[in-house]
Amino acid sequence: MSRLLIVSNRLPVTVHADQGDVSIVPSAGGLVTALRGPHERHGGLWLGWPGDLARLTEEQRREVEDRLEQLGAVPVHLTSAEVSRYYDGFSNGVLWPLFHYLVEKLNLDARHDWESYREVNERFAEAIVARYRPGDRVWIHDYQLMLVPAMLRRRIPDARIGFFLHIPFPAAEVFRILPWREQVLRGMLGADVVGFHTTAYRYHFVYSAARVLGLDPDLETLAYEGRRVRLGAYPVSIDVDEFVRLARDEEVRAEARRIRESAQGRKIVLGVDRLDYTKGIPRRMLAIERFLEREPELRSKVRFIQLAVPTRENVDAYAEFRRVVNELVGRINGSYGTLDDVPIHFLHRSMPMAGVVALYLAADVMMVTPLRDGMNLVCKEYVASRIDDTGALVLSEFAGAAAELIEALLVNPHDIDAVASTIQRALVMSPSEQRVRMQALRRRVVTHDAHRWSHRFLNDLERASGVLPAVGAVRRPEGAPRGSTIASARSAPSLIVMLDYDGTLVPLEAMPELAQPDEALITELRELAARPRTQVHVVSGRPREDLERWLGELPISLHAEHGFFSRAAPGEPWVALREAALDWKPRVRDVLQGFVDRTAGSFIEEKMVSIAWHYRAADPELASQMAREVPLELGEALREHDLELIPGRKVLEVRLRGVNKGVIVPRVLAMMGPDAVVIALGDDRTDEDLFAALPPTALTIHVGGGESSAAFQLPDPASARRLLRALVA
């Protein structure tokens, strides 16, 4: 049976050292609770930071290491400086506020923190490699380790890797603020399965990848670097049985009764949150103030209890936030308190889970009103604990849990008037309505517990095949050609080099006219053509005018519009493949112009015997929808005029049927004889025709990601040009 390697920022235990004694105790928190079961069931390892062990003696450290090993825990040690930059600086100073839409708290001047974040992620990847065995599954968790999947993929290409994000993924317009946005996306896409709490977060990720990386948007899978990355929505949950057990525990129930008795008949409205600025505590306090202002007859009949669990105490933003909350609570209590009581009982402390469940049992109303939250498990804990089907849940519509817990009273936490009104509604809710709502909530939470969450994700990871499926002759290329392969080509009696232009020799540009060759490329092509018994052919979809203007003086052969026009050498005429009727062009042009009008950022490129619709610079979601409609609207014209519609990289091209890059192959091979070695490089669908027409002995190379029939693959044009220089050397 394969092992499961769980990887998270922290280990599921905390190391305590007190007067020479070392203890290791289980940690609390939603992630630990959700993953403890899979860790125990699958007999694997859990890798993470064990906390600061700097003050331990060598003997104590050895003792800790031995005990962690017995628990299946592998420590990844970090220095205090690394924790300060990687965790406090970048994870919680950049990613956390950005992903929660709190852009005003975002530190964009964090280059050194980013470097530390990258280095620590490398450390985690190396720790995984050191423990990895063939067949292991690796499950990486959360925003602190978003680069690890790609780092691990480079080291162990065939590893089965899952990644789960426990916080929201922001809308593309927000995510694109991040200076390191491309690196983060590529890091996550190193996984075979990427999981989110909700379909909305998955949607945001897909369109961020489309905007930033130019990937074709697909809500289920993304084709990336020759692999297919599966995307899923897996709402994390809780260990329901544990909360039911605590809710039935007589000591817990006695504590709940004591809390209710101390309220002296008042109804209890409860909030339980980490003291984090995403949890909406100030807005909640303002809504309570508005409620007290508008409902004077209820002031003496309600007690508000807010348990605020300390978090990130060393981060300046959190210290300031704590001061703001304390002042706000003090002001409200000063305005509405009496000699006998105050309306808000504010507790800034941690509490054992048994004590929290006692609060859940005592509360008439539970308020969970974050400004933004990946999931929020407090609301599920409250529901699981209400085994008598009573109580009311007020839930922010901006918590991930709101997508599931639709029977709660959903509120906009920014609208304090609406929240105040909802508090009043919850307090007067009839027992029958409470029962209907709570029974529905409990059914959902009980059915979709933490065990089901992990089971669904790991099942999908087990079934995931990152390799793109074969389509006819299309398969995943092997990777870069080996040095021996290049040396063999270099020593061949004669050499034919066939090169696409856009996406192969130069990066793709949003505007085709911007893809001009630089001086270095001109020099590289000239030197390659100067090799003895070497022919260089540039085979492009571009019009003759572009190739002549940019490459016309080079001693190479040029083939324009996918081989319809060819020119053997400088100064020689362009020769057409055949006569071509062009009466179809006005009709096709009109149809494509309609798509330009409806798709801002797209445009038409008209050539002599083809017309292309480019949509690289258009909104990915709109462009993807329009691209699906183009074949439908052109269908009749394509059939009547014997045309074909060819998809490229963010382009659809209408051309004469049978005109493709493969048609020039017989003529090119005839020039050099049967002993010539052929090297061909291309990047998109149109180059597959060229690869297919070449003999099996040809060295075919696909440039960029995606599926191809080529034997080898290079990642980008820069790599392709390095290969050309190697041929000359």
Side-chain angles (χ1 to χ4, degrees), residues 237-241 243-244 380 383-387 389 404-405 438-453:
S237 194
I238 60 173
D239 184 349
V240 174
D241 291 342
F243 283 91
V244 171
K380 294 189 175 184
V383 168
S385 302
R386 303 300 298 201
I387 55 178
D389 293 330
E404 292 180 277
L405 305 185
M438 190 58 67
Q439 285 177 347
L441 290 168
R442 294 198 74 254
R443 279 195 300 270
R444 191 167 291 108
V445 171
V446 169
T447 302
H448 300 277
D449 65 356
H451 305 297
R452 182 183 174 93
W453 167 76

PDB file of all heavy atoms in Angstrom, residues 237-241 243-244 380 383-387 389 404-405 438-453:
ATOM      1  N   SER A 237     -14.126  19.957   6.364  1.00  0.00           N
ATOM      2  CA  SER A 237     -15.105  19.880   7.437  1.00  0.00           C
ATOM      3  C   SER A 237     -14.433  19.461   8.730  1.00  0.00           C
ATOM      4  O   SER A 237     -13.211  19.602   8.886  1.00  0.00           O
ATOM      5  CB  SER A 237     -16.234  18.912   7.047  1.00  0.00           C
ATOM      6  OG  SER A 237     -17.345  19.071   7.911  1.00  0.00           O
ATOM      7  N   ILE A 238     -15.204  18.951   9.656  1.00  0.00           N
ATOM      8  CA  ILE A 238     -14.755  18.670  11.017  1.00  0.00           C
ATOM      9  C   ILE A 238     -14.963  17.189  11.338  1.00  0.00           C
ATOM     10  O   ILE A 238     -15.647  16.473  10.609  1.00  0.00           O
ATOM     11  CB  ILE A 238     -15.524  19.531  12.031  1.00  0.00           C
ATOM     12  CG1 ILE A 238     -17.028  19.222  11.945  1.00  0.00           C
ATOM     13  CG2 ILE A 238     -15.254  20.999  11.803  1.00  0.00           C
ATOM     14  CD1 ILE A 238     -17.869  19.887  13.008  1.00  0.00           C
ATOM     15  N   ASP A 239     -14.390  16.769  12.447  1.00  0.00           N
ATOM     16  CA  ASP A 239     -14.643  15.434  12.976  1.00  0.00           C
ATOM     17  C   ASP A 239     -15.955  15.502  13.769  1.00  0.00           C
ATOM     18  O   ASP A 239     -15.972  15.799  14.963  1.00  0.00           O
ATOM     19  CB  ASP A 239     -13.480  14.997  13.867  1.00  0.00           C
ATOM     20  CG  ASP A 239     -13.639  13.562  14.364  1.00  0.00           C
ATOM     21  OD1 ASP A 239     -14.735  12.974  14.199  1.00  0.00           O
ATOM     22  OD2 ASP A 239     -12.667  13.033  14.919  1.00  0.00           O
ATOM     23  N   VAL A 240     -17.063  15.242  13.103  1.00  0.00           N
ATOM     24  CA  VAL A 240     -18.388  15.409  13.706  1.00  0.00           C
ATOM     25  C   VAL A 240     -18.539  14.534  14.947  1.00  0.00           C
ATOM     26  O   VAL A 240     -19.086  14.971  15.973  1.00  0.00           O
ATOM     27  CB  VAL A 240     -19.491  15.088  12.676  1.00  0.00           C
ATOM     28  CG1 VAL A 240     -20.868  15.103  13.340  1.00  0.00           C
ATOM     29  CG2 VAL A 240     -19.443  16.084  11.521  1.00  0.00           C
ATOM     30  N   ASP A 241     -18.058  13.319  14.885  1.00  0.00           N
ATOM     31  CA  ASP A 241     -18.218  12.394  16.018  1.00  0.00           C
ATOM     32  C   ASP A 241     -17.608  12.953  17.294  1.00  0.00           C
ATOM     33  O   ASP A 241     -18.152  12.758  18.394  1.00  0.00           O
ATOM     34  CB  ASP A 241     -17.591  11.038  15.692  1.00  0.00           C
ATOM     35  CG  ASP A 241     -18.359  10.293  14.613  1.00  0.00           C
ATOM     36  OD1 ASP A 241     -19.530  10.648  14.380  1.00  0.00           O
ATOM     37  OD2 ASP A 241     -17.792   9.368  14.003  1.00  0.00           O
ATOM     38  N   PHE A 243     -17.294  16.123  18.159  1.00  0.00           N
ATOM     39  CA  PHE A 243     -18.128  17.195  18.714  1.00  0.00           C
ATOM     40  C   PHE A 243     -19.427  16.637  19.300  1.00  0.00           C
ATOM     41  O   PHE A 243     -19.918  17.145  20.315  1.00  0.00           O
ATOM     42  CB  PHE A 243     -18.404  18.251  17.646  1.00  0.00           C
ATOM     43  CG  PHE A 243     -17.224  19.153  17.418  1.00  0.00           C
ATOM     44  CD1 PHE A 243     -16.276  18.854  16.452  1.00  0.00           C
ATOM     45  CD2 PHE A 243     -17.032  20.279  18.198  1.00  0.00           C
ATOM     46  CE1 PHE A 243     -15.178  19.659  16.258  1.00  0.00           C
ATOM     47  CE2 PHE A 243     -15.933  21.095  18.013  1.00  0.00           C
ATOM     48  CZ  PHE A 243     -14.992  20.786  17.042  1.00  0.00           C
ATOM     49  N   VAL A 244     -19.964  15.601  18.699  1.00  0.00           N
ATOM     50  CA  VAL A 244     -21.149  14.959  19.270  1.00  0.00           C
ATOM     51  C   VAL A 244     -20.797  14.334  20.617  1.00  0.00           C
ATOM     52  O   VAL A 244     -21.562  14.426  21.594  1.00  0.00           O
ATOM     53  CB  VAL A 244     -21.713  13.910  18.294  1.00  0.00           C
ATOM     54  CG1 VAL A 244     -22.803  13.080  18.967  1.00  0.00           C
ATOM     55  CG2 VAL A 244     -22.264  14.597  17.040  1.00  0.00           C
ATOM     56  N   LYS A 380     -19.544  25.039  11.542  1.00  0.00           N
ATOM     57  CA  LYS A 380     -19.826  23.606  11.469  1.00  0.00           C
ATOM     58  C   LYS A 380     -19.707  22.962  12.849  1.00  0.00           C
ATOM     59  O   LYS A 380     -20.465  22.036  13.176  1.00  0.00           O
ATOM     60  CB  LYS A 380     -18.878  22.943  10.470  1.00  0.00           C
ATOM     61  CG  LYS A 380     -19.095  23.410   9.028  1.00  0.00           C
ATOM     62  CD  LYS A 380     -18.296  22.588   8.036  1.00  0.00           C
ATOM     63  CE  LYS A 380     -18.626  22.997   6.612  1.00  0.00           C
ATOM     64  NZ  LYS A 380     -17.954  22.156   5.598  1.00  0.00           N
ATOM     65  N   VAL A 383     -22.947  23.736  14.667  1.00  0.00           N
ATOM     66  CA  VAL A 383     -24.048  22.906  14.158  1.00  0.00           C
ATOM     67  C   VAL A 383     -23.910  21.473  14.657  1.00  0.00           C
ATOM     68  O   VAL A 383     -24.893  20.852  15.101  1.00  0.00           O
ATOM     69  CB  VAL A 383     -24.070  22.952  12.616  1.00  0.00           C
ATOM     70  CG1 VAL A 383     -25.006  21.884  12.055  1.00  0.00           C
ATOM     71  CG2 VAL A 383     -24.496  24.335  12.136  1.00  0.00           C
ATOM     72  N   ALA A 384     -22.700  20.908  14.592  1.00  0.00           N
ATOM     73  CA  ALA A 384     -22.501  19.525  15.036  1.00  0.00           C
ATOM     74  C   ALA A 384     -22.805  19.370  16.520  1.00  0.00           C
ATOM     75  O   ALA A 384     -23.283  18.312  16.961  1.00  0.00           O
ATOM     76  CB  ALA A 384     -21.070  19.086  14.738  1.00  0.00           C
ATOM     77  N   SER A 385     -22.545  20.418  17.292  1.00  0.00           N
ATOM     78  CA  SER A 385     -22.751  20.343  18.742  1.00  0.00           C
ATOM     79  C   SER A 385     -24.215  20.466  19.144  1.00  0.00           C
ATOM     80  O   SER A 385     -24.592  20.062  20.250  1.00  0.00           O
ATOM     81  CB  SER A 385     -21.948  21.456  19.443  1.00  0.00           C
ATOM     82  OG  SER A 385     -20.567  21.347  19.148  1.00  0.00           O
ATOM     83  N   ARG A 386     -25.053  20.997  18.282  1.00  0.00           N
ATOM     84  CA  ARG A 386     -26.466  21.245  18.637  1.00  0.00           C
ATOM     85  C   ARG A 386     -27.287  19.977  18.407  1.00  0.00           C
ATOM     86  O   ARG A 386     -28.145  19.893  17.522  1.00  0.00           O
ATOM     87  CB  ARG A 386     -27.029  22.410  17.829  1.00  0.00           C
ATOM     88  CG  ARG A 386     -26.273  23.708  17.973  1.00  0.00           C
ATOM     89  CD  ARG A 386     -26.238  24.229  19.391  1.00  0.00           C
ATOM     90  NE  ARG A 386     -27.562  24.526  19.919  1.00  0.00           N
ATOM     91  CZ  ARG A 386     -27.795  25.335  20.933  1.00  0.00           C
ATOM     92  NH1 ARG A 386     -26.784  25.914  21.577  1.00  0.00           N
ATOM     93  NH2 ARG A 386     -29.029  25.543  21.341  1.00  0.00           N
ATOM     94  N   ILE A 387     -27.030  18.988  19.221  1.00  0.00           N
ATOM     95  CA  ILE A 387     -27.668  17.679  19.040  1.00  0.00           C
ATOM     96  C   ILE A 387     -29.160  17.701  19.366  1.00  0.00           C
ATOM     97  O   ILE A 387     -29.885  16.757  19.042  1.00  0.00           O
ATOM     98  CB  ILE A 387     -26.950  16.610  19.892  1.00  0.00           C
ATOM     99  CG1 ILE A 387     -26.896  17.020  21.358  1.00  0.00           C
ATOM    100  CG2 ILE A 387     -25.541  16.362  19.359  1.00  0.00           C
ATOM    101  CD1 ILE A 387     -26.241  15.989  22.263  1.00  0.00           C
ATOM    102  N   ASP A 389     -31.076  20.045  18.094  1.00  0.00           N
ATOM    103  CA  ASP A 389     -31.656  20.743  16.931  1.00  0.00           C
ATOM    104  C   ASP A 389     -32.228  22.109  17.281  1.00  0.00           C
ATOM    105  O   ASP A 389     -33.176  22.585  16.652  1.00  0.00           O
ATOM    106  CB  ASP A 389     -32.746  19.887  16.253  1.00  0.00           C
ATOM    107  CG  ASP A 389     -32.180  18.643  15.610  1.00  0.00           C
ATOM    108  OD1 ASP A 389     -31.015  18.680  15.181  1.00  0.00           O
ATOM    109  OD2 ASP A 389     -32.901  17.630  15.546  1.00  0.00           O
ATOM    110  N   GLU A 404     -22.353  25.942   1.443  1.00  0.00           N
ATOM    111  CA  GLU A 404     -22.962  24.687   1.896  1.00  0.00           C
ATOM    112  C   GLU A 404     -24.126  24.923   2.852  1.00  0.00           C
ATOM    113  O   GLU A 404     -25.188  24.309   2.720  1.00  0.00           O
ATOM    114  CB  GLU A 404     -21.930  23.845   2.627  1.00  0.00           C
ATOM    115  CG  GLU A 404     -20.807  23.288   1.801  1.00  0.00           C
ATOM    116  CD  GLU A 404     -19.889  22.474   2.693  1.00  0.00           C
ATOM    117  OE1 GLU A 404     -19.016  23.083   3.349  1.00  0.00           O
ATOM    118  OE2 GLU A 404     -20.065  21.248   2.753  1.00  0.00           O
ATOM    119  N   LEU A 405     -23.919  25.801   3.827  1.00  0.00           N
ATOM    120  CA  LEU A 405     -24.873  25.948   4.935  1.00  0.00           C
ATOM    121  C   LEU A 405     -25.933  26.987   4.582  1.00  0.00           C
ATOM    122  O   LEU A 405     -26.077  28.035   5.235  1.00  0.00           O
ATOM    123  CB  LEU A 405     -24.126  26.320   6.217  1.00  0.00           C
ATOM    124  CG  LEU A 405     -22.990  25.361   6.612  1.00  0.00           C
ATOM    125  CD1 LEU A 405     -22.411  25.760   7.959  1.00  0.00           C
ATOM    126  CD2 LEU A 405     -23.466  23.915   6.632  1.00  0.00           C
ATOM    127  N   MET A 438     -31.981  23.864  11.724  1.00  0.00           N
ATOM    128  CA  MET A 438     -30.852  23.157  12.325  1.00  0.00           C
ATOM    129  C   MET A 438     -30.802  21.705  11.887  1.00  0.00           C
ATOM    130  O   MET A 438     -29.705  21.139  11.690  1.00  0.00           O
ATOM    131  CB  MET A 438     -30.921  23.262  13.855  1.00  0.00           C
ATOM    132  CG  MET A 438     -29.656  22.774  14.552  1.00  0.00           C
ATOM    133  SD  MET A 438     -28.146  23.651  14.046  1.00  0.00           S
ATOM    134  CE  MET A 438     -28.461  25.286  14.715  1.00  0.00           C
ATOM    135  N   GLN A 439     -31.934  21.068  11.713  1.00  0.00           N
ATOM    136  CA  GLN A 439     -31.925  19.679  11.238  1.00  0.00           C
ATOM    137  C   GLN A 439     -31.313  19.585   9.842  1.00  0.00           C
ATOM    138  O   GLN A 439     -30.531  18.668   9.555  1.00  0.00           O
ATOM    139  CB  GLN A 439     -33.345  19.119  11.240  1.00  0.00           C
ATOM    140  CG  GLN A 439     -33.871  18.769  12.626  1.00  0.00           C
ATOM    141  CD  GLN A 439     -35.313  18.282  12.600  1.00  0.00           C
ATOM    142  OE1 GLN A 439     -36.016  18.427  11.591  1.00  0.00           O
ATOM    143  NE2 GLN A 439     -35.762  17.711  13.713  1.00  0.00           N
ATOM    144  N   ALA A 440     -31.653  20.539   8.987  1.00  0.00           N
ATOM    145  CA  ALA A 440     -31.081  20.541   7.634  1.00  0.00           C
ATOM    146  C   ALA A 440     -29.578  20.809   7.689  1.00  0.00           C
ATOM    147  O   ALA A 440     -28.791  20.162   6.973  1.00  0.00           O
ATOM    148  CB  ALA A 440     -31.776  21.589   6.770  1.00  0.00           C
ATOM    149  N   LEU A 441     -29.172  21.744   8.534  1.00  0.00           N
ATOM    150  CA  LEU A 441     -27.745  22.041   8.676  1.00  0.00           C
ATOM    151  C   LEU A 441     -26.981  20.835   9.214  1.00  0.00           C
ATOM    152  O   LEU A 441     -25.899  20.491   8.722  1.00  0.00           O
ATOM    153  CB  LEU A 441     -27.555  23.239   9.612  1.00  0.00           C
ATOM    154  CG  LEU A 441     -28.004  24.603   9.076  1.00  0.00           C
ATOM    155  CD1 LEU A 441     -28.023  25.637  10.203  1.00  0.00           C
ATOM    156  CD2 LEU A 441     -27.085  25.061   7.951  1.00  0.00           C
ATOM    157  N   ARG A 442     -27.547  20.176  10.211  1.00  0.00           N
ATOM    158  CA  ARG A 442     -26.852  19.040  10.816  1.00  0.00           C
ATOM    159  C   ARG A 442     -26.744  17.874   9.836  1.00  0.00           C
ATOM    160  O   ARG A 442     -25.735  17.173   9.804  1.00  0.00           O
ATOM    161  CB  ARG A 442     -27.553  18.579  12.105  1.00  0.00           C
ATOM    162  CG  ARG A 442     -27.489  19.615  13.218  1.00  0.00           C
ATOM    163  CD  ARG A 442     -27.781  19.045  14.599  1.00  0.00           C
ATOM    164  NE  ARG A 442     -26.670  18.250  15.089  1.00  0.00           N
ATOM    165  CZ  ARG A 442     -26.646  16.938  15.169  1.00  0.00           C
ATOM    166  NH1 ARG A 442     -27.691  16.220  14.781  1.00  0.00           N
ATOM    167  NH2 ARG A 442     -25.593  16.305  15.651  1.00  0.00           N
ATOM    168  N   ARG A 443     -27.779  17.645   9.035  1.00  0.00           N
ATOM    169  CA  ARG A 443     -27.693  16.565   8.044  1.00  0.00           C
ATOM    170  C   ARG A 443     -26.510  16.798   7.097  1.00  0.00           C
ATOM    171  O   ARG A 443     -25.768  15.872   6.778  1.00  0.00           O
ATOM    172  CB  ARG A 443     -28.991  16.479   7.238  1.00  0.00           C
ATOM    173  CG  ARG A 443     -30.115  15.727   7.914  1.00  0.00           C
ATOM    174  CD  ARG A 443     -31.213  15.364   6.917  1.00  0.00           C
ATOM    175  NE  ARG A 443     -31.801  16.544   6.283  1.00  0.00           N
ATOM    176  CZ  ARG A 443     -32.846  17.204   6.774  1.00  0.00           C
ATOM    177  NH1 ARG A 443     -33.396  16.812   7.922  1.00  0.00           N
ATOM    178  NH2 ARG A 443     -33.337  18.251   6.142  1.00  0.00           N
ATOM    179  N   ARG A 444     -26.345  18.031   6.678  1.00  0.00           N
ATOM    180  CA  ARG A 444     -25.274  18.318   5.727  1.00  0.00           C
ATOM    181  C   ARG A 444     -23.902  18.192   6.388  1.00  0.00           C
ATOM    182  O   ARG A 444     -22.972  17.632   5.813  1.00  0.00           O
ATOM    183  CB  ARG A 444     -25.466  19.718   5.140  1.00  0.00           C
ATOM    184  CG  ARG A 444     -24.556  19.994   3.951  1.00  0.00           C
ATOM    185  CD  ARG A 444     -24.965  21.238   3.198  1.00  0.00           C
ATOM    186  NE  ARG A 444     -26.224  21.041   2.505  1.00  0.00           N
ATOM    187  CZ  ARG A 444     -27.372  21.592   2.864  1.00  0.00           C
ATOM    188  NH1 ARG A 444     -27.420  22.368   3.930  1.00  0.00           N
ATOM    189  NH2 ARG A 444     -28.476  21.373   2.189  1.00  0.00           N
ATOM    190  N   VAL A 445     -23.764  18.715   7.592  1.00  0.00           N
ATOM    191  CA  VAL A 445     -22.471  18.662   8.272  1.00  0.00           C
ATOM    192  C   VAL A 445     -22.110  17.227   8.636  1.00  0.00           C
ATOM    193  O   VAL A 445     -20.948  16.805   8.495  1.00  0.00           O
ATOM    194  CB  VAL A 445     -22.483  19.564   9.523  1.00  0.00           C
ATOM    195  CG1 VAL A 445     -21.237  19.348  10.370  1.00  0.00           C
ATOM    196  CG2 VAL A 445     -22.596  21.025   9.117  1.00  0.00           C
ATOM    197  N   VAL A 446     -23.087  16.462   9.095  1.00  0.00           N
ATOM    198  CA  VAL A 446     -22.825  15.060   9.466  1.00  0.00           C
ATOM    199  C   VAL A 446     -22.438  14.239   8.239  1.00  0.00           C
ATOM    200  O   VAL A 446     -21.525  13.408   8.287  1.00  0.00           O
ATOM    201  CB  VAL A 446     -24.060  14.455  10.169  1.00  0.00           C
ATOM    202  CG1 VAL A 446     -23.914  12.946  10.307  1.00  0.00           C
ATOM    203  CG2 VAL A 446     -24.262  15.100  11.538  1.00  0.00           C
ATOM    204  N   THR A 447     -23.118  14.482   7.130  1.00  0.00           N
ATOM    205  CA  THR A 447     -22.833  13.706   5.913  1.00  0.00           C
ATOM    206  C   THR A 447     -21.484  14.070   5.329  1.00  0.00           C
ATOM    207  O   THR A 447     -20.723  13.194   4.903  1.00  0.00           O
ATOM    208  CB  THR A 447     -23.933  13.951   4.862  1.00  0.00           C
ATOM    209  OG1 THR A 447     -25.193  13.591   5.426  1.00  0.00           O
ATOM    210  CG2 THR A 447     -23.671  13.129   3.606  1.00  0.00           C
ATOM    211  N   HIS A 448     -21.169  15.349   5.305  1.00  0.00           N
ATOM    212  CA  HIS A 448     -19.928  15.824   4.675  1.00  0.00           C
ATOM    213  C   HIS A 448     -18.931  16.199   5.769  1.00  0.00           C
ATOM    214  O   HIS A 448     -18.602  17.369   5.961  1.00  0.00           O
ATOM    215  CB  HIS A 448     -20.225  17.005   3.758  1.00  0.00           C
ATOM    216  CG  HIS A 448     -21.184  16.680   2.655  1.00  0.00           C
ATOM    217  ND1 HIS A 448     -20.793  16.077   1.481  1.00  0.00           N
ATOM    218  CD2 HIS A 448     -22.521  16.849   2.555  1.00  0.00           C
ATOM    219  CE1 HIS A 448     -21.855  15.899   0.701  1.00  0.00           C
ATOM    220  NE2 HIS A 448     -22.916  16.349   1.331  1.00  0.00           N
ATOM    221  N   ASP A 449     -18.418  15.196   6.455  1.00  0.00           N
ATOM    222  CA  ASP A 449     -17.479  15.459   7.545  1.00  0.00           C
ATOM    223  C   ASP A 449     -16.041  15.422   7.035  1.00  0.00           C
ATOM    224  O   ASP A 449     -15.787  15.277   5.837  1.00  0.00           O
ATOM    225  CB  ASP A 449     -17.689  14.474   8.689  1.00  0.00           C
ATOM    226  CG  ASP A 449     -17.363  13.037   8.286  1.00  0.00           C
ATOM    227  OD1 ASP A 449     -17.055  12.788   7.096  1.00  0.00           O
ATOM    228  OD2 ASP A 449     -17.416  12.154   9.157  1.00  0.00           O
ATOM    229  N   ALA A 450     -15.087  15.544   7.957  1.00  0.00           N
ATOM    230  CA  ALA A 450     -13.674  15.600   7.579  1.00  0.00           C
ATOM    231  C   ALA A 450     -13.221  14.314   6.907  1.00  0.00           C
ATOM    232  O   ALA A 450     -12.362  14.339   6.010  1.00  0.00           O
ATOM    233  CB  ALA A 450     -12.824  15.881   8.817  1.00  0.00           C
ATOM    234  N   HIS A 451     -13.762  13.197   7.322  1.00  0.00           N
ATOM    235  CA  HIS A 451     -13.351  11.921   6.724  1.00  0.00           C
ATOM    236  C   HIS A 451     -13.768  11.858   5.261  1.00  0.00           C
ATOM    237  O   HIS A 451     -13.008  11.390   4.403  1.00  0.00           O
ATOM    238  CB  HIS A 451     -13.962  10.759   7.507  1.00  0.00           C
ATOM    239  CG  HIS A 451     -13.650  10.804   8.974  1.00  0.00           C
ATOM    240  ND1 HIS A 451     -12.357  10.707   9.455  1.00  0.00           N
ATOM    241  CD2 HIS A 451     -14.452  10.951  10.064  1.00  0.00           C
ATOM    242  CE1 HIS A 451     -12.381  10.786  10.775  1.00  0.00           C
ATOM    243  NE2 HIS A 451     -13.634  10.936  11.164  1.00  0.00           N
ATOM    244  N   ARG A 452     -14.978  12.333   4.973  1.00  0.00           N
ATOM    245  CA  ARG A 452     -15.431  12.340   3.580  1.00  0.00           C
ATOM    246  C   ARG A 452     -14.585  13.301   2.750  1.00  0.00           C
ATOM    247  O   ARG A 452     -14.257  13.020   1.600  1.00  0.00           O
ATOM    248  CB  ARG A 452     -16.911  12.739   3.523  1.00  0.00           C
ATOM    249  CG  ARG A 452     -17.505  12.742   2.113  1.00  0.00           C
ATOM    250  CD  ARG A 452     -18.944  13.225   2.140  1.00  0.00           C
ATOM    251  NE  ARG A 452     -19.508  13.371   0.807  1.00  0.00           N
ATOM    252  CZ  ARG A 452     -20.194  12.438   0.173  1.00  0.00           C
ATOM    253  NH1 ARG A 452     -20.408  11.268   0.760  1.00  0.00           N
ATOM    254  NH2 ARG A 452     -20.674  12.676  -1.044  1.00  0.00           N
ATOM    255  N   TRP A 453     -14.229  14.445   3.340  1.00  0.00           N
ATOM    256  CA  TRP A 453     -13.397  15.427   2.631  1.00  0.00           C
ATOM    257  C   TRP A 453     -12.070  14.818   2.196  1.00  0.00           C
ATOM    258  O   TRP A 453     -11.690  14.893   1.023  1.00  0.00           O
ATOM    259  CB  TRP A 453     -13.163  16.631   3.549  1.00  0.00           C
ATOM    260  CG  TRP A 453     -12.090  17.571   3.065  1.00  0.00           C
ATOM    261  CD1 TRP A 453     -12.190  18.474   2.049  1.00  0.00           C
ATOM    262  CD2 TRP A 453     -10.762  17.689   3.585  1.00  0.00           C
ATOM    263  NE1 TRP A 453     -11.001  19.142   1.900  1.00  0.00           N
ATOM    264  CE2 TRP A 453     -10.108  18.684   2.829  1.00  0.00           C
ATOM    265  CE3 TRP A 453     -10.065  17.047   4.612  1.00  0.00           C
ATOM    266  CZ2 TRP A 453      -8.783  19.054   3.075  1.00  0.00           C
ATOM    267  CZ3 TRP A 453      -8.751  17.423   4.857  1.00  0.00           C
ATOM    268  CH2 TRP A 453      -8.123  18.410   4.092  1.00  0.00           C
TER     269      TRP A 453
END
